[in-house]
Amino acid sequence: MPAESPSSSSAPTPLAAFLRARRALVRPEDVGLTGSARRRLPGLRREEVAALAEISAAYYLRLERGRDRHPSPEVADALADVLRLDADARAHLRALALGRPRHPAPHAPETVPEPVRRLVLSRRDTPAYVQGRYHDVLVANPLATALSPSYRPGVNLLRAVFLDETPRPLYEDWESVIAALVASLRVRDAPGLAPLVAELREKSADFRRLWARHDVSPRTAGRTRLLHPDLGPLDLAYEKLTVLPDEGQVLVVYHAERGSRTAGLLASLGERLGRPPPSPLSSAPAATPSPPGRRA
């Protein structure tokens, strides 16, 4: 057998890296392989994946080494079954097998459509912000910034979460928050993302661990619990709405259940933030009138 080229081992294709990572996450008992011998590495062996997917072990080895990059849809679906992928990860595997085309080079700087900007800034009872293709906050209303200092224009949410300890105490479900954030990165292959990923892999152990899993999830809606330093615990739902699909811009909106404690706190906070600051003249004490018959 010819020696493996350096490129196939040091720089695996996205498909090869995905297969390796997901294979390591499947326990033998999950696919009915019981009584197997002790394993040096977690997950399934290559030959086990091949047998369960009903393909040759040699062909699967070529896929994991990047020598074959375009398995048929039938093979991709068979591998998805063996690797126990959910709908999002299955779609991601199909896209990798087809050779997902890269998006055109992005324009810089990113610009939020004016109607969306006005909508975000006009909301006083709903925290909202727009994030760009690299998870930069492009526009945010005062209520969003009051929830977290990370939600302000110019902040990169990935660097804020993984390289700054400030946001961590805000989230009761911190592990699920960072896992969902990393999983969302693989949904869209934004050009120019590689340097940011490389930086985070170098500087953050949490990011390295989660990135190595190759989890895939768009996470367009969900719930979270914030532990706000001034307001206390806040139970919030969120929605992520696509603004410009080709630009990767997403509108993120938080909201609370009507009539809940959280809804009341958000409404009160929004009213306070929406009031203009008091004028120095109006806040000065009124002059005491002079008694009749005396000059002031």
Side-chain angles (χ1 to χ4, degrees):
M1 178 180 296
E4 184 176 343
S5 65
S7 61
S8 62
S9 58
S10 61
T13 65
L15 174 63
F18 181 79
L19 292 174
R20 292 180 192 178
R22 301 309 299 185
R23 174 168 63 86
L25 297 177
V26 181
R27 300 176 303 174
E29 54 268 30
D30 292 337
V31 292
L33 298 177
T34 58
S36 56
R38 183 175 298 176
R39 296 165 184 257
R40 292 186 300 108
L41 299 174
L44 300 177
R45 299 187 177 101
R46 291 191 185 97
E47 58 269 22
E48 291 170 339
V49 174
L52 291 167
E54 299 183 348
I55 60 177
S56 73
Y59 178 59
Y60 182 75
L61 180 62
R62 291 200 302 274
L63 291 175
E64 276 210 6
R65 289 185 173 176
R67 295 173 180 168
D68 193 310
R69 305 184 180 194
H70 302 295
S72 68
E74 293 77 16
V75 169
D77 284 341
L79 291 173
D81 290 339
V82 174
L83 299 177
R84 303 173 65 84
L85 302 183
D86 61 17
D88 293 322
R90 182 182 293 265
H92 184 67
L93 174 57
R94 289 182 186 142
L96 293 176
L98 291 172
R100 178 173 51 191
R102 296 189 65 83
H103 297 278
H107 301 286
E110 294 185 80
T111 302
V112 178
E114 188 57 30
V116 176
R117 178 183 295 274
R118 289 198 302 267
L119 174 65
V120 169
L121 296 179
S122 68
R123 301 297 301 181
R124 293 187 178 180
D125 58 347
T126 306
Y129 64 90
V130 175
Q131 70 180 37
R133 67 177 70 91
Y134 305 129
H135 287 70
D136 295 307
V137 178
L138 304 179
V139 61
N141 63 13
L143 195 52
T145 304
L147 281 188
S148 170
S150 298
Y151 300 150
R152 66 180 188 275
V155 172
N156 181 273
L157 293 176
L158 292 168
R159 290 191 179 96
V161 165
F162 288 103
L163 304 182
D164 185 352
E165 292 294 325
T166 304
R168 185 166 190 152
L170 294 175
Y171 294 92
E172 187 175 84
D173 51 347
W174 177 251
E175 182 63 27
S176 65
V177 168
I178 61 175
L181 185 58
V182 174
S184 70
L185 287 181
R186 294 196 181 270
V187 175
R188 189 176 188 277
D189 187 19
L193 186 62
L196 179 58
V197 170
E199 176 189 353
L200 295 171
R201 291 178 66 184
E202 176 186 356
K203 297 179 179 179
S204 170
D206 280 336
F207 185 87
R208 282 196 302 274
R209 169 176 57 85
L210 294 169
W211 186 253
R213 289 180 55 90
H214 283 252
D215 289 331
V216 181
S217 175
R219 190 63 72 93
T220 57
R223 302 192 67 86
T224 191
R225 183 175 171 88
L226 292 183
L227 303 177
H228 196 275
D230 298 325
L231 303 178
L234 301 174
D235 295 304
L236 295 164
Y238 63 84
E239 309 284 342
K240 295 185 177 182
L241 309 173
T242 300
V243 177
L244 294 176
D246 292 337
E247 298 293 330
Q249 291 186 11
V250 176
L251 169 63
V252 183
V253 180
Y254 285 95
H255 54 90
E257 184 177 349
R258 181 174 298 180
S260 66
R261 170 185 173 277
T262 298
L265 289 172
L266 288 181
S268 299
L269 180 59
E271 290 177 2
R272 294 201 303 271
L273 294 172
R275 296 192 194 113
S279 167
L281 294 178
S282 63
S283 60
T288 304
S290 300
R294 296 180 56 185
R295 293 183 179 178

